[in-house]
Amino acid sequence: MNPPRPRVASSRVADAEEAGLRGGTAPLQAENMDHRGSTSTQKSKVPREHVTSEKRTERVVIQTKEKMQGRTRNPVRESPSAGNRGEGDKSRSRRANTAGPLSPNLRKKEKETPDAPWNPHASLMPYTTAPLASRVSVPPLSSTLPQSLQPKPLRDLSTDAQEKAILEDLLFVFMGFEGQYIQYQAQYDPTAEKDRLTGPAFQLPSGLDPTLRDLTRSMLKMATHYSALEAFVEVQSRAEYGAVSHALCATIRKLLKDYLILVAQLETQLLNNPNFTLHVLHLHTMPTSQCLAQLYSLGQELLRRNGLLDQDIDESIDDFDDVDNILEQLREGGDLIPGAMSSKKICKGGNVLRLLTERLATFSGDPTTKALLETLLRESSRPYMTMLNEWLHHGVIKDPHAEFLVKEQKWIKREKLEEDYTDEYWEKRYTIRDNEVPPQLDSVRDKVLLAGKYLNVVRECGGVDVSKAVKDVPKTFDDPRFLENVNAAYTYANASLLNLLLTKNSLTTRFRSLKHYFFLDRSDFFSYFLELGASELRKPAKNVNESKLQSLLDLVLRQPGSIAAQDPFKEDVKVRMNKIGLTKWLMQVVSVSGIDQDNPEAALEKYQAPQAGSEDDKDIVGFDALELDYTVPFPLSLVISRKTVLRYQLIFRHLLSLRHLESMLSSAWLDQSKILGWRHKSTDRRLELWKRRAWNLRAKMLVFIQQLLYFCTAEVVEPNWQSLMDRVNGTDADGSEVTVNGTKQVNRTVDELMQDHVDFLDTCLKECMLTQAKLLKIHSKLLTCCTMFASWTAAPLGRALISADPGLSANPATSDGRGYDPARIGKLEDTLKRYEDHFGRHLRILMDSLNYFAATESVVLLKLAHALSSISKED
């Protein structure tokens, strides 16, 4: 065994020994003054005459005994957990200063310059939301030490002694404390959070050997990194940084615990291995130093993203610019304080995982760093995967820290579906936080969102047991079953909701019911309803009694033999009066640029809040204001939502206006066949020619309306309806079937089904010429012309014909007493000429417009143009 290597005594030992030699006190007694726990038994007095001869021997004994004695600790090296250690240091220093008799000269000197009493103490720090954060105050700085406790300068020590002193200091510095010689730089403030997060910078004393200085400086970075990581773990463990950051801090805390075990092992080597040098220490700490450097770099980047380091003034001003979060907090009853809302400055959840993934890709060529980052990513992703599995398999979001990629707007309730014309429940209740999606979920983010949304609907209908624990699912991002889990959950959720809609809630039967009522398919019941309610519907819209109309509709729907009598959903149909005309509203929407095909809801929202007080609204009658409403229960209201019911209402009002105008023109013909003025063959050839022209114009108008009605129903609605049904039932070219739980189902998604339904209605609106401003204007003028002509040719015109017919006016039995008026025929011809010119001119404009839009918009308009061409031909 190698002989023990001599080491340099501490400065306090040397000072006491010097004083003992001057005052005649034995060196061992001086040693006992400094080492209160010494077990030495050598207390015999040395004769004065042998002092000189035994000086060297006694010094060897002192050095050897100090080697055997446990290392004393500077009072400044306080552990954060040592709350009551200040008093022990106080008594220890007091005993060290008063333990033995000193020389009279030294006593005199102490009396002349007394040191301030050294009285360090610890206190409790304020409470934080980090449960494992230390609450003990930081130790006092070495700059506050009394002069009597300052160590001997390094320049007075040999190289070996310097190495031993630095070795001992480094072990304390590695744990974040100051040593006797290695101390914090003057600008470091341990009470400032930003300084602690950056890490302390250490300074080396003067007089240190250059080779030792270079080695020591290279190892001090590790101490800086360790101290900064300890502060990072305490700060990032606060509640507002989320569960992913908490898991990351827990993993780093484990690594720091391994680091402290390494320091303990190095201390053992220092005490027991005489060959342990600064070079050996450097070799032992190199791998750990690289690991801590990577952790430190990661921590600093995360702190910068959180705004805790190098925060820009402009960025801090923008903290309250997140209007959506502020409004959400207000809706939920929150307060507008920084702690009550998630600031956009906080990097948490998916952003933390993204940072780890990006660094892993950057350092993939370094095996050690790659293994470290893989460990951090694996452990940090565990709480995120727990939330993901809960969302995928139960349709529930358990996200107390608002860090999951799916955001839930809790203030949007299911009950809002009944009056929600913008689909807020489906579109806005659950949304994706686009800036907080982990890279691993980028490719499947939509599937993750839809899987949870579908399952949430099934769960609200009682189809999912949320009490069952999720088993056999991946727990981390590096699990090979990760993407398979997402795809399987999405497939199951979609199949479950489709089965719920198509089978249990009879979606296709609902579609047929809507077709009967809104598209006037097999509408014998509705013709009967219009006849019964004609007296009420002729009134101005504001005077119509809706309750009476509702009673009439209920009566008609229950009429035996009617197609509606067999409809199980007839109770859901309601009568409603809209105070604004269809054409007027559509012109408001499309007068500038037409309905936006990418976002038609933006324009349709205005339909429910029309501008009040307009002139046309006062003259609207019941026939023009009548519309049907339809109540749809959840979950069918997701597919047949308010925005789709709105489209049904628009098409219904258009078809109803054509039906009503057709009946008006037909009634005009019936009236003409009953009135004597029309049936009597006049002797005046001009009057007979006028009657033929009027009959001809009425017939043209009737053919025009019938062709338009036929086109809208047979050429537009019916083909598109069949296409929709084929897609719903999976019998189209793109459809396929899958077997779920033993039953065959269409291999489609619910969102595709919803989109197909909206597309069907949008196509019908477009091909019925309700989305083009030019076609709307022409169409409106033609219908207005037909309506005015049908009203003009009604009963009052018969009396005008009698006064224009010399034969009838001369007969007292048929004359109304006004007599024959030769000028009457001229007025009738002028009026009819205006109707003919107006109808013919606008019909030609409509033909040209149909040919143009058939080439640019929809080719189906060519069929209508061809059908109307026979009307526009000259007789």
Side-chain angles (χ1 to χ4, degrees), residues 78-87 119-127 133-140 191:
E78 292 287 341
S79 170
S81 60
N84 56 357
R85 198 168 291 168
E87 294 300 325
N119 186 25
H121 64 278
S123 61
L124 289 179
M125 304 287 287
Y127 174 78
S134 172
R135 295 190 59 199
V136 181
S137 59
V138 295
T191 60

Side-chain angles (χ1 to χ4, degrees), residues 736-780:
S736 60
E737 292 186 347
V738 293
T739 302
V740 179
N741 296 329
T743 60
K744 289 186 177 181
Q745 293 184 358
V746 183
N747 188 17
R748 303 176 54 75
T749 68
V750 177
D751 270 70
E752 288 176 348
L753 177 62
M754 295 166 62
Q755 191 60 46
D756 286 341
H757 189 210
V758 173
D759 290 345
F760 155 71
L761 294 170
D762 286 342
T763 303
C764 290
L765 283 171
K766 182 179 178 181
E767 295 182 352
C768 286
M769 302 174 291
L770 300 180
T771 60
Q772 287 294 340
K774 186 174 183 180
L775 290 175
L776 269 176
K777 290 178 182 178
I778 303 168
H779 182 265
S780 174

Side-chain angles (χ1 to χ4, degrees), residues 639-685:
V639 179
I640 309 174
S641 60
R642 293 307 306 173
K643 69 176 183 180
T644 58
V645 172
L646 170 58
R647 288 168 166 82
Y648 278 109
Q649 290 173 338
L650 295 177
I651 298 174
F652 167 78
R653 293 184 70 182
H654 176 63
L655 296 178
L656 175 62
S657 65
L658 296 178
R659 280 289 184 91
H660 176 55
L661 189 51
E662 181 188 17
S663 65
M664 286 182 65
L665 291 171
S666 300
S667 299
W669 177 81
L670 288 174
D671 292 341
Q672 292 169 9
S673 64
K674 295 177 183 178
I675 296 175
L676 182 61
W678 288 97
R679 289 188 292 110
H680 180 263
K681 187 173 182 180
S682 175
T683 56
D684 189 346
R685 183 171 179 82

Side-chain angles (χ1 to χ4, degrees), residues 594-662:
I595 290 182
D596 183 4
Q597 298 299 323
D598 295 330
N599 186 22
E601 289 79 18
L604 293 175
E605 289 175 15
K606 301 178 183 177
Y607 180 67
Q608 299 307 318
Q611 297 178 356
S614 58
E615 296 179 0
D616 294 345
D617 293 347
K618 298 178 183 178
D619 302 328
I620 188 173
V621 297
F623 280 108
D624 296 329
L626 176 65
E627 67 180 14
L628 297 181
D629 203 356
Y630 198 81
T631 305
V632 186
F634 186 84
L636 286 177
S637 53
L638 296 175
V639 179
I640 309 174
S641 60
R642 293 307 306 173
K643 69 176 183 180
T644 58
V645 172
L646 170 58
R647 288 168 166 82
Y648 278 109
Q649 290 173 338
L650 295 177
I651 298 174
F652 167 78
R653 293 184 70 182
H654 176 63
L655 296 178
L656 175 62
S657 65
L658 296 178
R659 280 289 184 91
H660 176 55
L661 189 51
E662 181 188 17

Side-chain angles (χ1 to χ4, degrees), residues 708-719:
L708 202 56
L709 187 60
Y710 173 81
F711 171 76
C712 290
T713 54
E715 300 291 347
V716 174
V717 172
E718 196 62 33

Side-chain angles (χ1 to χ4, degrees), residues 8 35 70 149 303 319 438 478 528 623 626 695 714 763 851 859:
V8 178
H35 301 286
L149 297 180
L303 291 172
D319 279 350
D478 58 356
Y528 185 35
F623 280 108
L626 176 65
W695 283 329
T763 303
N851 288 321
V859 70

